[in-house]
Amino acid sequence: MRVLLLLSYLTAFSLFCAAQAPLPAKNLSIFGRGMYPGDDSTYALLQDAGFNTVMLSSFYIHGDGDLYSGDDNKHPVIHNGKWVGDTSYLRRVAALKKTARIEILLEGRWYNQPPNTFDFMRDWIDSTKQVPGVVTGTGDHSTLFQICKVLKEVVGADAFCIDDESVYDSQSVIEMGKLAGRLKMHMTLCPYRVNDFWKTVLQHTDQKVVDAIYLQCYDGGTRANPGLWKAATGAVQPVYPIFMCRGAFSTCESSHNSKTVDEIKSEMLRFKADYPKMSGASIWQMADVKNFVINNCAVTNPASGSAKTVKAFLAQIKESLSTGL
């Protein structure tokens, strides 16, 4: 039965994979941490909210060549170049794909964490290296190519998004951009610091492949400004600010520069003044939206916001991200 279900999803996704979704003219996006495998009600709320890009997050490459969801670090979703994850997830993502561009956030380690994702990209990009259980390089049979191919053909991803916060090896990311181009996918970037690294990547990747930049404007990126960042790197691609909403880190208070919807509106106006062509923004993340409601923040801390349901909070966030656009 599992095999038959997977085959049906593969057939359905073949209809979507012929042409990858372009970047929306006004790109309002949300990161979807806490959504693997998820539930139907959460996906229905997100679909009704009207975000036109959904970042499926976060996913990690392990040293054995498998891909894992950050929501389940015990069971791989891709093994030996095949989808072995939850098939209900594929059905839910397929519904989102009808109205939204789908991106996969590939996330790396923070400081003092064990190697993952971008450590292995750096180590495996050289086809002359021998790594047990891994086909190195970026050829059609390589482990990296097979992971990306499954993300496109089975999950239905239009792009994968690079969130490297530790390794900063430009050559391997540049090669991943070439790999994306071969698969007729896009690659987007998710920086918050080390401008020179991202500038090098931009200078050596196809502008038609790397078509967007999502700038973290919270935590380590608290002082980040999309217009200034765009000028500093010479990016021709649109740069979108990412905000962290209240409810992050399970608190109604401001944490790691999390913001209320009114504060996001103010920041959007400030960023737009510096960068008149700014055409979108993003929120991190669905799990925090839920936590805002679970913690009853509207009652326990009215200054944090007024939403008492996930549906209401999503609507308020979307409105705040649209400010000035």
Side-chain angles (χ1 to χ4, degrees), residues 72 87 201 323:
D72 180 358
T87 53
V201 171
T323 303

Side-chain angles (χ1 to χ4, degrees), residues 110-155:
W110 297 350
Y111 292 110
N112 300 319
Q113 288 185 322
N116 65 37
T117 308
F118 301 106
D119 299 271
F120 302 128
M121 281 188 187
R122 177 197 59 202
D123 296 342
W124 300 348
I125 214 78
D126 183 354
S127 61
T128 66
K129 287 187 176 182
Q130 300 294 315
V131 179
V134 171
V135 180
T136 56
T138 59
D140 288 358
H141 299 291
S142 68
T143 295
L144 291 175
F145 184 90
Q146 289 299 317
I147 287 173
C148 293
K149 184 178 180 182
V150 172
L151 292 175
K152 175 188 176 180
E153 295 183 354
V154 180
V155 182

Side-chain angles (χ1 to χ4, degrees), residues 43-81:
Y43 276 79
L45 283 169
L46 185 54
Q47 192 168 19
D48 290 344
F51 291 88
N52 52 21
T53 295
V54 176
M55 296 281 193
L56 302 178
S57 60
S58 300
F59 290 87
Y60 300 84
I61 297 172
H62 287 199
D64 57 5
D66 289 348
L67 185 74
Y68 285 75
S69 165
D71 297 328
D72 180 358
N73 60 12
K74 295 182 179 180
H75 307 96
V77 295
I78 296 177
H79 174 68
N80 285 339

Side-chain angles (χ1 to χ4, degrees), residues 294-306:
I294 291 170
N295 291 332
N296 201 19
C297 291
V299 174
T300 61
N301 186 351
S304 67
S306 62

